[in-house]
Amino acid sequence: MQAKKTQAASIFAPKTPAPANLIPSSSPAFGTPAHTLKPFAIAPPTKATILPILLPPATLRPLAFRTFTKKHSLTLTSSALQELATFIGRHCGSGWREEGLAEKVLEEVARSWKNRNGGVIVDGASNELKDIVKTLEGHMTGGRIITGRELNRQNSLVLDSGQDADLSNTRLGLRPTNALSRGDSSASFGMSGLGVEEEEVDDDSLSHPRKWLKVISAYNQPRMLYNVAKKHFEKDPSKPSLMPPASHKTTLFRNRYNVIHQRLLRNEAFQSSTVATTKAAPSLKRSNTSNLTTQQNYKITPIANLLGRHGSHHMLLGLLSVLPTGSLAISDLTGTISLDVSHAVAIPEDSAWFSPGMIVLVDGVYEEEEESMGKGLGGSNGIGGIIGGRFQGFFIGQPPCEKRRATLGVSGPDDHTIGGGFGWIDFLGVGSERAVGSRMRKLEERTLRQQRQIREPSISTGADADAPTCARIIIIGELNLDQPRALQALRKILTIYSTEPEGSTPMTFVLTGNFTQHAVMAGGGASGGSVEYKEHFDALASVLSDYPTLLQASTFVFVPGDNDGWASSFGGGAAVPLPRKPVPDMFTSRVRRAFAAANAEVADKKCPGEAIWTSNPARLSVFGPAHEIVVFRDDMSARLRRSTVRLGTSREGAEEGAEDEAPSTASNGGMDTNANANGDNSTGNNDDEIDMTNALDGTDAMDIDVEPTTTPNANANARKQGEPQVPHDIHTARKLVKTILDQGYLVPFRHAARPTHWDLAGALHLYPLPTALVLADPTAPPFCVTYEGCHVVNPGAVLVAGRRGVGRWVEYALGGVGRVRECLF
């Protein structure tokens, strides 16, 4: 009888005997193993035992000083040193010195602190240091920093792409492609979170300069307050409000005064020497020599210290204000005193405006009252913070300006650190100068070089230097859309740039208001209302639709004016509070639709054009902190002429606007007298490119070269010798530019003349100086002027007054200078 076979259920697979040799494969031709090999497994590292110790801060201080102060230019507070000593003693143990564990921890903490833009002073109570220590604690084993986990990009311990791939291979059971080198454990990965690498940019969408353009609204800009105790800028943690308490108005003045005061103390003219002393009283008046002497070290006296010092000579820094009696006064953080400027002389003469609301330097003598009159409002007997007596001013001047490089503490072609400055402060939210400045400049150079290589086949080699590039910003002044001739001028300007070779289209067009001649929203003009206001922008959209190539390759930035909605609906065209919001979207929908239709026709949408409606003022950041451009629309020149303080010497000259008026070049403190070649309009070129970097003899102190009594004779001798005189328009431009940049504030007026939002006034500061300032002022002549490294341009109005059929605008080369251009339409 045959044996009965045992049959297994069909759900169970039959057992296959394992081959004797594991090498033979189911596919012998390819040598594939028949069975899956055992995955590669990495044994978990054994955690070394650390015996915590109590590390005194005094023992760690030399190593911390060498790492933080000497190597990274940071200052450790006692609380921060105590925090780090506790952390190192707990996680590094007794090997913190012999094995070099503490040095690596301090190095990583210092780099992480700078990547977070924490500032120069490392405070132990700050949240940034606590976050760094907490993050570092989770990535330490045996006293050493490990990088086996994937962290955030903004963290200092972020993994690069190669290490991230090795980590993924390890998890999949594959061996790492590259072994971790010994030097990788001590390398810092902090700069990788900034999004800028040393290698070439492979992504084509990032190879155009417009991808690195960022328009920063005044409502999105970080609000910085100067801390006098720490001598450092700090972010304001409070939330801004349009209706803040009254104390915020005092904070606004205090912050503005502290910024200018610390700027003066950094100036060499206000730094007293510890070696040489002098008995002569300091004065704003310059000696016969061109260089500063030891007798010209200025000292600022607080107003409260004038009491009991009758007849003494002092220099005051304060805010020009008007008392209830109508007389002029000067105020600082300690008090207010009546100011007499009937005999005051401007230094340099007729070089700047002086109006209430400005912070100025006044040199003079304090005079006490013989008897307290205290009757009515006229009595200045010390009530209400007003110090008795008066201050007789003899010289008055603007606080000297500071160059951008000096403020940020960088110098040289490679931006090497020279010490000091606020290079680690991120004023715009795009990265600080010390962190990403040099890398962004290298990226800019590579990007522009790639753009030149792209357009080389379409241009000749001889004309390469003069060929247009995409790194240009076209600035169109006041564009009244309710005037048909303004639209015709705009159409002609766009036609000029639409016919340029491909790849040379300007990266940005800036169009400034007022977009209507009258406050239409308040019923101004022949007819008013929101319907008519929207129709004006519909007409603008129809003009822009005729140039799809520009809409596809450029960014259009629109900055409103005082006549634009909604602010003009209750302002009626008067000065509205600054900063003001952009034009509402309900009026600009047709313009946005025109850009969307133009970009829909492009197959390659890596870098499409766009329309940005921003605030007034606004800032344009190109390549991070490398280029900062401030755009501001205001009738500033007319307001200065209305509110200026007439000094005693101003009555001797001719009236403003006379044809034979010329500034005193002998007492202009080194104002560039050879710049007339750039501003000569005899050839028909309107490019008034005047260099004012030597406006104050390099030291930028408010001094003059000769005695005030010899100024008229020197000016007369200059006329007799036939020296070229500065044209009136250029002199007006210099006067306006010097006033605004020396003040470091866009609105140096009383709040009654130009109101501001107290919590948003930080967006009006010009500190550090921007690389370029677009001051759209139709009440001033068009100009392109450079002062202390800041290039200031004014396009004026797009329609030239008194010349029919002529349009005017400014073409600014990124990182260079601008030029005024005109066209016939």
Side-chain angles (χ1 to χ4, degrees), residues 99 101 106 123 146 168 300 317 341-342 461 494 570 604 653 658 668 706 775:
E99 301 179 14
L101 303 180
L106 294 176
D123 191 2
I146 60 174
S168 302
I300 299 174
L317 174 69
V341 293
S342 58
T461 307
L494 297 180
F570 60 86
D604 187 7
N668 206 12
V706 295
L775 184 61

Side-chain angles (χ1 to χ4, degrees), residues 608-632:
E610 58 180 339
I612 300 177
W613 303 82
T614 184
S615 62
N616 182 29
R619 296 175 189 259
L620 277 65
S621 173
V622 188
F623 293 102
H627 300 282
E628 177 186 351
I629 305 171
V630 179
V631 183
F632 184 47

Side-chain angles (χ1 to χ4, degrees), residues 264-273 297-298:
L264 284 179
L265 297 182
R266 290 157 53 91
N267 193 296
E268 295 180 358
F270 290 85
Q271 297 175 357
S272 60
S273 176
N297 295 324
Y298 307 141

Side-chain angles (χ1 to χ4, degrees), residues 412-549:
D414 297 330
D415 298 332
H416 294 301
T417 302
I418 60 175
F422 305 101
W424 290 112
I425 304 299
D426 186 5
F427 290 95
L428 299 181
V430 295
S432 62
E433 175 67 29
R434 296 275 190 91
V436 299
S438 59
R439 296 195 174 191
M440 279 296 180
R441 288 179 175 85
K442 294 179 181 178
L443 177 63
E444 176 189 3
E445 183 180 356
R446 291 198 300 265
T447 303
L448 297 182
R449 184 174 64 250
Q450 292 177 2
Q451 292 296 322
R452 287 193 298 265
Q453 293 175 357
I454 292 175
R455 62 186 178 86
E456 272 181 1
S458 60
I459 59 176
S460 60
T461 307
D464 190 13
D466 300 333
T469 63
C470 62
R472 290 177 297 166
I473 298 178
I474 309 305
I475 305 165
I476 302 175
E478 186 177 37
L479 180 65
N480 300 137
L481 301 178
D482 53 352
Q483 292 186 352
R485 294 175 57 249
L487 292 177
Q488 295 176 9
L490 177 62
R491 187 181 296 272
K492 179 62 177 179
I493 295 174
L494 297 180
T495 303
I496 294 176
Y497 292 103
S498 62
T499 57
E500 291 183 347
E502 184 179 0
S504 302
T505 305
M507 58 182 296
T508 307
F509 286 82
V510 178
L511 282 70
T512 62
N514 299 313
F515 293 112
T516 55
Q517 192 174 6
H518 305 282
V520 178
M521 301 295 295
S527 61
S530 58
V531 177
E532 289 79 3
Y533 187 66
K534 187 178 187 306
E535 289 178 352
H536 296 323
F537 286 102
D538 293 345
L540 174 63
S542 63
V543 174
L544 296 177
S545 300
D546 296 338
Y547 304 94
T549 56

